[in-house]
Structure formats: C-alpha cells, structure tokens
Amino acid sequence: MAESTTVSNYSNLAKYMQLPQKGKIMAEYVWIDGTNGVRSKSKTLFKPVSSPDELPEWNFDGSSTGQAPGDNSDVYIRPVAIFPDPFRLEPNIIVMCETWDPDGSPNKFNYRHDAARLMEANKGHELWFGLEQEYTLLGIDDRPYGWPKNGFPGAQGPYYCGVGTGRVFCRDIVEAHYKACMYAGVNISGTNAEVMPAQWEYQVGPCEGIELGDHLWMSRFLLARVAEEFGAKVSFAPKPIPGDWNGAGLHTNVSSAEMRKEGGMKHIEAAMKKLEGRHVDHIAVYGEGNADRLTGKHETGSMDKFTWGVADRGASVRIPRQCAKEGKGYFEDRRPASNADPYQITGIIVETIYGGLPDEKLDKE
C-alpha cells in the first residue's frame, strides 16, 4: 500500500476487542447524509434484538451533515435493517436507518421511504434486483493506487479481471471487504478487477424489493470502513480520471416474475418502451457527474438518447444474449453512475414500468 497518514495499531486494539461486554450490545447506527455519503454513531443496547422494530429511534445534528438548518437541527434516525457487525463481531450489530424530520415527514434525503412504498405496492410482481458497484481506490494524494506519481500507467487492456503485480492494486482491501460483507449477511455475489487500474467492482443481489437498497448501502459502509483501516480512500465518482479511461457505473439488473416465465421477453420489450419514454427522468436521478461518463465511448451509451440491444454494452440497456436466446430473464440498465442512490434507481424503475403511488398521509405534528 502507498504511504498513509492513518494511525491504526491493530495489535494494541485487539486486546481491548476481546474484553467481555457483560451482556450489553454495541449497535452502530448508519444513515445516508446530505452529500450522498454514509455517517454512523454507536449506541449501547442492554439486550439482544432480533428485529429493527425492537430498536429505539435516535437522532443526530442534521446541520453538520447537510440535512437540516442550524436553528432546527434535529434529524431522527429510524432503524430499518440489522446486520451482524464484522468489525466488533457478534453479538454486536450494524443498523441501517432512515432519516426523518421532527414534523414526522421523511427527510428530503430519505429516498428509501418512497422506494419502499413502491416495492410494497408492486410486490405481486416479485421484483428482483442485482447491482454492479464499481469504485476506484485512491491514495491520500487522490491519485489511484498504483499509478505513477507524475504520469500514467500503461493503456487499458491487462487490468480487467487481472492477476499479478502491475495488473491489479489493493486486492487486500477487496478481499477484506468481500469477507466483511459475507459476515454481515450482505448478499454480495462476486467481485472483480475492472478495466481501469485501481478500479474494482462487486455485485450485490439478487435481492427482492427494498432489500437491494439496504444491502447496497450497507456494502458501501463496509467498504469505507475497511478502506479506512488500510489508509485508502474510496471514490464513487463516475469519471474519476478524465481522458481515455473507463468511468465507473452502477449497472442495474432487473427481473420480474413475468419476465422470468416462458414468453417473458415480451414483458422485457414492453419495459424498454416505458424506459425510453422516461429517459430524461431516469438520467436526472442516476447520479451526479454522469455526463462525463455517458459519452457513447468506453462501454457506455449516449446520455442524450435511449437505446437498447442484445449483448450491446454500448447501449443504455443491455439484454443478455442468453436471455434473448431463452426468451425470458432480465435486463441490465447500464445508465446509472457509480455514485447513484440505489433506492432512487430501483424506485424509479418500478415507477416507470408499473406506475406511481397515490398521495400518502403522514402523521405530522
């Protein structure tokens, strides 16, 4: 690894991690902040819990996270999912939370709430999602790991799924993250080195409904924590390095019960027509800085035009060749940027294909 200013002494920490907790539980509450990042803080519980409903609501200073003004800064966090903690180990837990305002309405950065309602309203379609999270590992100088300090590595080609020195960088972080996800129960299904050196990808899913967003956000939190211990930075920027280098996406694989049955291709093709009609709406929530990535080059489609095709990685949406051959299966939306919010992505896809929601009545103060 490159030089780091991070001070971490695991051998000293280890003896304290072995101390008994005397029946108490350490719960790390995690939420999404106003900059599309993750924040967390710890709470002591006095007994084990098996459901988010058993956990207390908490709050934080939203004026310090870009989620509230200073004169009305309390934002509330409500537990929605529990994961075993791979850092403190069981019985300790990590808690995924939604953010809510004091008046009883979802915080403006709480995209999960509406997505969950959409999933519940359309649960009869048995929607499965699988997301491919690309990211880039950076040093403290914000240069990708393994890149020359005053230059660039060799052209793309040998790095994708690469093996060996000079072809891959920071595999130790990738392996640690993979195991951490498995321990936590995150449905991580694989990982690989990507086209640009120091760029990696892992896949989460298939998950049904809102679970995908919960697992993807938890996987991001775990990645940030693992990289922290190695003194590395994680970038989800869709075009971290300008020029003739691949960007980073969050390719989104979608399947419904109808699409998976015999003759499902007609449902996939019907979805293509609906997605085309709302291309601009989707692009609006598919990540910041995506215009630098969706250029029609480097395995992307154009940001200005919706296209789809079989086995076409230059299209907005790709139909896998095997699915076309079998006449059923799923499709891959290749437009989302690596920094996009999975709740927004899956939510708008469901809304576009199956329709929106009626107005909601909230219990406000």
Side-chain angles (χ1 to χ4, degrees):
M1 299 295 291
E3 293 180 1
S4 170
T5 58
T6 299
V7 177
S8 179
N9 191 321
Y10 181 76
S11 60
N12 280 347
L13 173 65
K15 60 185 178 184
Y16 298 103
M17 297 300 287
Q18 299 300 316
L19 294 174
Q21 296 180 194
K22 300 184 182 300
K24 297 178 182 178
I25 308 296
M26 301 165 76
E28 192 73 11
Y29 278 48
V30 176
W31 71 94
I32 304 154
D33 68 12
T35 65
N36 200 41
V38 286
R39 306 278 181 128
S40 74
K41 62 177 185 174
S42 302
K43 188 177 190 68
T44 301
L45 306 177
F46 295 93
K47 62 179 181 179
V49 296
S50 58
S51 166
D53 296 335
E54 300 175 53
L55 288 164
E57 185 178 278
W58 207 6
N59 64 77
F60 64 91
D61 172 16
S63 69
S64 296
T65 64
Q67 291 171 279
D71 61 355
N72 188 20
S73 62
D74 284 357
V75 177
Y76 295 86
I77 39 180
R78 297 180 182 176
V80 293
I82 296 174
F83 298 85
D85 189 334
F87 306 109
R88 294 165 171 160
L89 306 182
E90 294 183 283
N92 303 303
I93 58 175
I94 304 178
V95 183
M96 195 70 218
C97 300
E98 284 190 12
T99 52
W100 288 74
D101 289 336
D103 67 356
S105 61
N107 185 262
K108 64 180 179 180
F109 298 102
N110 179 357
Y111 301 120
R112 185 188 188 277
H113 177 67
D114 279 348
R117 293 178 62 227
L118 282 162
M119 300 303 172
E120 178 63 24
N122 292 286
K123 63 183 180 181
H125 296 288
E126 299 177 22
L127 286 152
W128 294 357
F129 300 98
L131 269 62
E132 304 167 24
Q133 177 69 73
E134 295 178 336
Y135 63 95
T136 308
L137 290 169
L138 310 177
I140 58 173
D141 58 357
D142 290 327
R143 293 276 291 173
Y145 264 116
W147 286 41
K149 289 186 178 297
N150 298 308
F152 295 89
Q156 296 183 152
Y159 311 110
Y160 173 69
C161 295
V163 178
T165 301
R167 290 173 176 255
V168 293
F169 306 94
C170 302
R171 193 185 292 274
D172 45 2
I173 292 177
V174 175
E175 292 292 311
H177 175 246
Y178 202 164
K179 292 294 288 286
C181 284
M182 285 186 164
Y183 182 94
V186 170
N187 191 14
I188 186 169
S189 51
T191 187
N192 59 270
E194 266 301 333
V195 177
M196 188 182 82
Q199 187 184 74
W200 291 84
E201 175 190 299
Y202 63 89
Q203 304 87 36
V204 172
C207 296
E208 187 167 352
I210 199 64
E211 184 182 63
L212 186 282
D214 294 341
H215 282 231
L216 197 283
W217 270 114
M218 184 52 57
S219 75
R220 286 179 174 177
F221 171 78
L222 296 177
L223 179 59
R225 278 291 312 275
V226 168
E228 174 187 316
E229 294 190 7
F230 286 88
K233 296 181 181 180
V234 179
S235 171
F236 293 113
K239 189 70 173 180
I241 303 296
D244 195 18
W245 303 99
N246 272 38
L250 187 58
H251 299 157
T252 300
N253 300 282
V254 184
S255 180
S256 67
E258 299 91 339
M259 295 175 189
R260 294 188 293 273
K261 294 178 180 177
E262 293 299 323
M265 186 56 65
K266 66 180 180 181
H267 294 281
I268 295 175
E269 292 175 353
M272 295 304 101
K273 294 179 181 178
K274 293 179 179 179
L275 291 171
E276 182 176 16
R278 295 194 70 198
H279 177 63
V280 174
D281 295 330
H282 281 247
I283 291 297
V285 298
Y286 274 7
E288 294 292 327
N290 213 9
D292 294 331
R293 168 180 164 265
L294 294 181
T295 62
K297 300 178 180 179
H298 303 110
E299 300 181 275
T300 69
S302 169
M303 188 169 182
D304 301 320
K305 183 181 179 181
F306 179 89
T307 59
W308 67 277
V310 174
D312 186 355
R313 283 180 164 77
S316 306
V317 175
R318 177 181 71 95
I319 310 297
R321 188 170 299 282
Q322 188 65 25
C323 293
K325 181 179 179 181
E326 295 179 358
K328 60 182 179 179
Y330 68 97
F331 65 86
E332 176 195 47
D333 191 340
R334 298 178 59 82
R335 295 171 293 173
S338 50
N339 60 5
D341 186 306
Y343 297 132
Q344 287 188 290
I345 296 171
T346 55
I348 196 171
I349 288 174
V350 172
E351 181 183 75
T352 296
I353 297 176
Y354 297 111
L357 288 169
D359 292 337
E360 179 184 25
K361 293 183 180 180
L362 293 168
D363 294 327
K364 296 187 178 183
E365 292 181 355

